[in-house]
Amino acid sequence: MLPTSRTVRLSLYILLILAGTALAAGIAMRHAEHQAMEEDADRANQQLALYANSLHSLIDRYRALPAVLALDPQLRSSLSGPISAEQQDLLNRKLEKINGAAKSSTLELLDRTGLAVAASNWRLPSSYVGHNYGFRPYFSQTKTQGTGRFYAVGVTSGIPGYFLSSAVTGDNDEFLGAMVVKLEFPELEHEWSLGSDTLLVSDARGIIFIANQPGWRYRHLQPLNAGDHAEIKATRQYDKQPLTPLDYQSLRRFDENSELARVDGPEGSAQYLWESLPLTAEGWTLHLLRRPQVAFEDSRNAGLAAAGAWLTLVFLVLFLNQRWRLAKMRQRSREELEQLVEERTRDLRTAQDGLVQSAKLAALGQMSAALAHEINQPLTAQRMQLATLRLLLDHGRVDDAYKALKPVDDMLTRMAALTGHLKTFARKSPSGLRERLDLAAVVDQSLQLLDARLRDENVSIVLHLTRPAWVRGDAIRLEQVLINLLRNALDAMQDKPCKRLQIRLEADEQLWLLSVADNGGGIAEEHLANVFDPFFTTKPVGDGLGLGLAVSFAIAHESGGRLSAANQLQGSGAVFTLTLPIDLEAHLSC
Ligand code: ADP
């Protein structure tokens, strides 16, 4: 089976949601990693400051020592002239003693050429005594500036250390030599090596000279040019130590002195958080390298949380979208339904208006026969009356002529009333007209319209009318209802020798009940439910349209009332009841 566009779309949506979930989780995990790393870098930076402090305080402890010793009169006098072996021995022992007390590495006294005339390590094979250190920068610095400092590998001992020196001057401030203290950092390096971090100190050229782990020392962080090499060679700063570059590549920089870097260190290539702290007093830089400790669980939790949040958001959007679509669909179907109902109502109203009109026309047709009969008779009578009148006037019997005018006048009045009714009956009344009217008067009017037939057929009429019976409605239409009921009753009693029509109008709580009962054949049980159906008729073709009751039923409803049919309980014949709400307002005001 070929996949439908719906399945393709659905798969695409699922794919998109999954991709979104993976992306959200990935981003959150990366973010959590970065966050953790930055926090780690922050901590490392604080630790670095502590390490820098310990280095500073170590150096500071010895900074004043050469200056104080340079003031010693014995040292000064021994440098002012050639030195005897005895003097030298005394000096050696003295320096040895002071060195032991100060816990420095070595103390040495250089003469104005840089020759070591006495040293605390005079007993050792690596004794400085007799060696010239004029080439060391600290010596030239001391000669010109009064003090000097220099980190270097000892050319005699091979042990690296920090040389701090102070000028020994004569009475006239002339330069006699230099007092030098050498500091070595094995303890510091050992102390630093207890932690898991790599701690390095580099000089101004970026050459690492202190390291708490083997393999890092004498690596340089920046390329060295020919001038650098020449100078290092001349000062023999790192003496015979080979200098090799340390390859590293910055991966992410947190700030000027903090970054994540891939370092090709002695233990192979690895990522490090690299924190640096410049030690301005010495012109050095302290470095702390730490393996980033990414807590897997933290980043996994962050990923899961982000995926959860993303999915919640997606489902919320889907849910809201679905609700919105449903509401729109409901709204549309409601509108369609409303439109349909409106159209149907309009159609029904038009159809009903048409039915009412055609029923009226049918009634009019039937009535015109009766009307012709009704009018013909008085017309013939009037012609005869007029002839009589002429004769009476010819004979000058004016009084008799006046008397003879009375029946003519009566007949004309009656004919005018009849035609007046017919005129209003045939008009198409606007639906929904609700004027205040007396239902009893409507009964009178209808009986008057059918008067000719009632008299012809010798119908006895029993009237029980409550007057006035105020209702709201259209007089013409209600009259039409009543005429229909009366005509049907007359039709039903056609074959009865004794015809009796009973009309009752009485109040029942909120309603007027108007009933028309006849003593005709009644309505067959099986037809009771259908008599109000349009075009239902039991009359022969040409006689009945089957519209009268259907239209009457509609008119009753339109006026807020009901029309019902039943057979009389006692005796024969049908009874039709029209109920209409009482117009209480009219009754109260009357
Ligand atoms: P039509 O008079 O043209 O037949 P109607 O709608 O007025 O149409 O009446 C429908 C049918 O109801 C009549 O054909 C008749 O069978 C029945 N009917 C109406 N009024 C009476 C009544 N008073 N007695 C018996 N049957 C009646």
Side-chain angles (χ1 to χ4, degrees), residues 169-181:
T169 52
D171 294 336
N172 303 321
D173 256 2
E174 74 276 22
F175 178 74
L176 297 179
M179 183 64 226
V180 185
V181 58

Side-chain angles (χ1 to χ4, degrees), residues 49-255:
L50 291 179
Y51 287 125
N53 248 351
S54 67
L55 181 62
H56 261 305
S57 49
L58 180 72
I59 295 170
D60 276 349
R61 208 168 344 131
Y62 295 99
R63 204 180 288 284
L65 187 62
V68 173
L69 290 179
L71 298 174
D72 186 281
Q74 195 185 357
L75 296 183
R76 290 175 69 196
S77 67
S78 63
L79 286 183
S80 40
I83 191 163
S84 66
E86 196 183 335
Q87 253 181 326
Q88 191 171 43
D89 185 51
L90 278 173
L91 282 173
N92 278 340
R93 286 174 194 281
K94 183 173 182 163
L95 291 181
E96 188 181 30
K97 224 171 177 174
I98 297 170
N99 189 50
K103 292 199 175 74
S104 47
S105 301
T106 324
L107 286 174
E108 59 182 313
L109 182 68
L110 307 182
D111 70 4
R112 61 168 67 81
T113 64
L115 179 76
V117 290
S120 62
N121 62 352
W122 63 278
R123 287 179 202 274
L124 302 177
S126 56
S127 164
Y128 293 159
V129 182
H131 291 276
N132 192 297
Y133 297 105
F135 61 89
R136 292 291 209 188
Y138 64 83
F139 181 73
S140 40
Q141 279 168 23
T142 314
K143 210 167 163 181
T144 53
Q145 295 159 25
T147 58
R149 53 180 134 179
F150 189 61
Y151 188 91
V153 175
V155 283
T156 321
S157 63
I159 300 167
Y162 194 32
F163 296 89
L164 296 167
S165 60
S166 222
V168 181
T169 52
D171 294 336
N172 303 321
D173 256 2
E174 74 276 22
F175 178 74
L176 297 179
M179 183 64 226
V180 185
V181 58
K182 181 185 177 190
L183 302 177
E184 289 162 13
F185 304 105
E187 277 173 32
L188 191 75
E189 286 185 342
H190 174 71
E191 197 183 303
W192 285 359
S193 70
L194 296 178
S196 55
D197 299 327
T198 304
L199 280 158
L200 314 168
V201 182
S202 64
D203 67 9
R205 287 195 183 89
I207 301 167
I208 298 166
F209 59 89
I210 300 178
N212 67 342
Q213 277 168 26
W216 294 86
R217 206 181 285 147
Y218 307 121
R219 310 288 295 266
H220 53 93
L221 305 173
Q222 301 155 22
L224 300 173
N225 57 31
D228 292 328
H229 280 296
E231 204 173 318
I232 291 165
K233 202 169 170 199
T235 59
R236 296 174 68 183
Q237 187 175 8
Y238 299 111
D239 204 28
K240 296 175 194 81
Q241 300 295 338
L243 302 175
T244 50
L246 181 75
D247 288 335
Y248 69 97
Q249 182 194 356
S250 175
L251 300 176
R252 209 156 84 84
R253 190 163 270 284
F254 304 120
D255 63 48

Side-chain angles (χ1 to χ4, degrees), residues 278-299:
L279 306 172
T280 39
E282 327 302 333
W284 302 341
T285 307
L286 182 61
H287 307 266
L288 184 147
L289 276 65
R290 175 176 289 181
R291 291 286 181 97
Q293 306 270 310
V294 175
F296 171 71
E297 259 177 39
D298 282 358
S299 78

Side-chain angles (χ1 to χ4, degrees), residues 463-498:
L463 282 178
H464 292 285
L465 300 180
T466 311
R467 288 175 190 278
W470 295 115
V471 292
R472 281 199 170 267
D474 182 342
I476 310 277
R477 290 190 161 219
L478 289 176
E479 199 175 283
Q480 191 179 351
V481 173
L482 220 64
I483 287 174
N484 278 333
L485 296 182
L486 293 173
R487 271 186 38 239
N488 278 346
L490 292 178
D491 288 350
M493 298 186 294
Q494 198 99 43
D495 306 329
K496 299 282 169 180
C498 179

